[in-house]
Amino acid sequence: MQKHKKYLIITIWISTIAFVGAGFVGWGRYDYGDKAGAVAKVGSIEITKGELQKSYSNLYNQYNQILQGNFDEAKAKSLGLQAQALNNLTQQALILNLAKSYDLTVSDDELLKEIKSQDYFFKDGIFNKEIYRQTLLRNNLSTKEYETDVKKDLLIRKTIKLIPVNAKESELNILDTTANIADKIEYKILDKNSIIIDTSDTLLKAYWEKIQNNFKSEVSYELKYIKQPKSTKEFNEAKLTEYYNENKTHFKGEDAKILSYEESKAKVLEELAEKETKTEALKTYIEFKKGKNDGLQINSITISSSNNPFGTEALQSISKLTPASAFLKPTLVNGEYLIFQLTKINGAKTKSFEEAKKDVIPLFVDEQKSRLLKETAEKSVNTFKGTTTDFITSSDTNKLTDLTNKLSTEFLATVFNSETKRGYTPLSNGNIVIYSILEQKLLNKTNTNQNNPIVRLKSTLFNEGIIKNLQNKYKTEIFIQGL
């Protein structure tokens, strides 16, 4: 994902429409729920806190879809997602400045046409005004806010269309020549699963001795800890009302409207009790740290990465403790406040052969299979007999029925980039394909489609050039720190 991050940004940099149906994602210490106030200014265009929150949310959801739901705030932070979100907005603002200089606008008719084309507002194949209203409501968006975003997106697209990028005939001819080279290939798949490896202790131990430092036990932490009981303190009506009035924005219904005091009362009680529990936990922490343990129920446990009932965040905090600073302030774990004291750190140690054996075996087997498979390929590449294809191009991956589409793509990419008639290529599943190019010819097909890789590449480079030019023309000011 790190490798392709740049190209992901390029594909979404002109999009400002809210990610309807996906919901918003917030982040740690940056609270941009308040949609007022500027966080940056590009030329004459201000970027608000609300726009930054929305940009972050959209980008987060895009990565989350790519990773099929396996994306979280830790990964977002490692990728610098907050900075990417702001960068996307500054690039959009540069284009909007350009649009402003040309006096470009978006009419109400253009806006209406765009909204009525978005099928997530359809019912029975027709745009439905009530579904439109309810969808925006569920995503905490006002009609005005959403339509402003759509107008902005349309204006950016309209500006980009003023400077279209097309492929020249000579460039299309180059693509035709490359795409229409067809080879008749003889190939044979060498399957790693057909190789049996001797995994006797004598061979395994010799292998382990070379790499034994790669097999270490986990660092573990011996701890004492206290569970803070939930507060049973009772609160009078005046205290409940006061807390509600000071924290009304905590209590919203599905329509994003603030609930009444009576509707929020149970939640108010819950928040006050949690707050009081934390206060009591801080008092317990001070007593525990001073060694005043009378009446405290102290538990003992040893934890590590693979044996950790407290969760990743708690373990990360515990791992930062030292004998000189051994106490961890109250930490919320599974709805309870826990106070930890580090008593001992057990450092990582090199495992014995017997301890490491189960981890050594798959590495040894995989390495030996790869070695033997490569030796077989080198010995047989000039004499093998295999399957012969018809004339195929690099895009005919579906014609190699004994390989998946992914593996066919890997194999044909090697063949059509090869400068030798015979060779072999390892595949991502560990197998090897040996091949011989029997014949070659040029097919008589013409590609006049402007929506091809050359146009896409030129568009990407051209858009990058526009942004660099506009960055020199319009001053960018960032008003927040830490991104």
Side-chain angles (χ1 to χ4, degrees), residues 402-416:
D402 46 359
L403 289 171
T404 65
N405 189 64
K406 179 178 180 293
L407 296 176
S408 295
T409 301
E410 292 176 18
F411 170 51
L412 292 180
T414 299
V415 171
F416 283 90

Side-chain angles (χ1 to χ4, degrees), residues 243-297:
Y243 186 82
Y244 168 78
N245 289 330
E246 290 175 353
N247 301 277
K248 282 185 179 181
T249 55
H250 294 190
F251 313 110
K252 293 182 179 180
E254 291 183 1
D255 59 359
K257 291 182 179 179
I258 293 174
L259 300 173
S260 68
Y261 168 69
E262 288 301 325
E263 293 172 313
S264 308
K265 192 170 182 179
K267 182 68 175 174
V268 171
L269 276 166
E270 183 182 323
E271 286 196 10
L272 272 172
E274 194 275 337
K275 188 177 179 182
E276 186 63 28
T277 302
K278 185 176 181 180
T279 300
E280 292 175 4
L282 284 168
K283 292 177 182 177
T284 303
Y285 162 75
I286 292 169
E287 295 296 306
F288 187 35
K289 194 174 180 181
K290 289 180 177 179
K292 298 178 180 179
N293 300 333
D294 292 345
L296 298 179
Q297 183 178 340

Side-chain angles (χ1 to χ4, degrees), residues 353-366:
F353 171 67
E354 290 302 325
E355 291 172 329
K357 184 176 177 180
K358 64 180 176 58
D359 297 318
V360 171
I361 290 174
L363 293 176
F364 175 74
V365 168
D366 189 62

